[in-house]
Every structure is written in structure tokens, then in C-alpha cells.
Amino acid sequence: MTIRTLVLLRHAKAETPGDDPDFARKLTTRGENDADAAGAWLADERIHPDLVFCSPAARTRQTWQGVSIALAQAGKGGVSPEVRYEKGLYAGGRTEVFDLLRTVPDTVHTVLVVGHNPTVSEVSILLVPDAEWDGQEVELRTAGLAVHRAKGPWAQTERGSMSLIERHTARG
């Protein structure tokens, strides 16, 4: 049976909301460094996504760019993942994330979702099986990663279906 890995990544530190639309907020210098650090951490952990679902907002796209560059620099000529910019990751919530994950082909072993809070934190909490949950609600900080694993097809992704393997907050 195939083991599938899901990495949830909250975007790195973004500009303070101002006059520009929220969708256009960009990463700060610290955010850019943290995105690079997130990619380096994934490379160190030997976690290389086959498929990336990324919110189309500026700050999530920039976060993915920093992660992808760090992964490529650490890689040994591996194949770049397919990247899908999904509007539902910006405008939607946890239902949209679960729906996206259920569409992933079983040939895909590792998925990275780059999104926003509160959604990415909620999805991470909901995925943990009740028997493994210690009751502590953990909110992912900026550039925070949650790595989940499970056996079986992506179509079976639902509440309580993926163990939490590790949480990490990347800081550059």
C-alpha cells in the first residue's frame, strides 16, 4: 500500500495590510529568508513534493518560489513538481483543501499545500486521528510546516485520516 505524505505550509511573513488589496501583499525580507529556510528544511528532511497546491495570492506564490529555489539548490537534478495555483486556497476554507486532496492521483506520493491561516492550521488539526490527538491546538506560525502521513489513496483523505509526523517553523 502506498504511503502518502502531505506537507501543509503557511506562507512566510508578509507585509502589514495597507492600502493595497490583501491578495497583493508581498513577503517581507524576513519572509523571503524564511521561505528559503522552509525549502532547505524540506530538502534536509528529504521531503520533495510531486505536486504543489498554492494559493494564487502574492505572498503564497513568493513563499513557494523561495521553497522551490532552496529545494532545487539542494537537489541532485530531481524533477520539478507540478504546481497548481488554486483560488480555493485563498478564498475558501478547510473543505476546499480536503476536496483538492481527494482529487490527487495515487501516483503522487507527496503533496505540498502553500496557504493561509486559519485554514492550514485547521486542516492540520483535523487530519490527526483522535487516538493520536493530545488536545493541544497548535496554530502554524508564518513559514510553519506540518508534515502528515498515511497509507492508502488520496481519495480517502478526511478528518482523522493522517498522522502528524512533524511540525517545524522555518526561520532564515
Side-chain angles (χ1 to χ4, degrees):
M1 190 170 282
T2 303
I3 294 185
R4 56 195 159 99
T5 301
L6 170 64
V7 180
L8 298 168
L9 171 59
R10 181 180 175 191
H11 66 78
K13 181 74 175 161
E15 300 169 329
T16 303
D19 295 333
D20 292 329
D22 179 72
F23 192 82
R25 287 175 49 212
K26 295 187 169 136
L27 295 184
T28 62
T29 300
R30 180 184 128 197
E32 291 172 355
N33 291 336
D34 290 352
D36 294 344
W41 183 82
L42 287 169
D44 288 347
E45 296 295 311
R46 291 180 171 71
I47 299 172
H48 298 278
D50 304 307
L51 175 62
V52 177
F53 289 126
C54 185
S55 161
R59 60 193 178 275
T60 46
R61 292 174 73 98
Q62 286 182 298
T63 299
W64 165 240
Q65 180 181 15
V67 168
S68 67
I69 290 169
L71 280 169
Q73 288 173 343
K76 312 250 186 309
V79 177
S80 294
E82 176 184 352
V83 181
R84 297 184 195 163
Y85 295 97
E86 297 285 345
K87 291 179 186 175
L89 292 176
Y90 178 76
R94 59 191 190 208
T95 300
E96 286 77 6
V97 176
F98 279 93
D99 289 348
L100 273 175
L101 292 172
R102 288 186 198 111
T103 68
V104 175
D106 292 331
T107 55
V108 172
H109 299 288
T110 303
V111 173
L112 170 64
V113 175
V114 186
H116 308 267
N117 258 2
T119 301
V120 289
S121 290
E122 289 174 355
V123 169
S124 181
I125 290 166
L126 289 172
L127 283 170
V128 178
D130 289 340
E132 297 174 16
W133 188 242
D134 61 10
Q136 181 183 3
E137 299 229 357
V138 180
E139 182 175 320
L140 291 172
R141 297 173 61 193
T142 55
L145 300 117
V147 181
H148 292 267
R149 286 215 173 101
K151 293 180 181 173
W154 287 101
Q156 292 178 356
T157 304
E158 60 188 37
R159 183 181 183 130
S161 67
M162 296 187 87
S163 295
L164 178 64
I165 303 304
E166 189 160 2
R167 284 186 189 266
H168 177 77
T169 300
R171 294 290 182 241

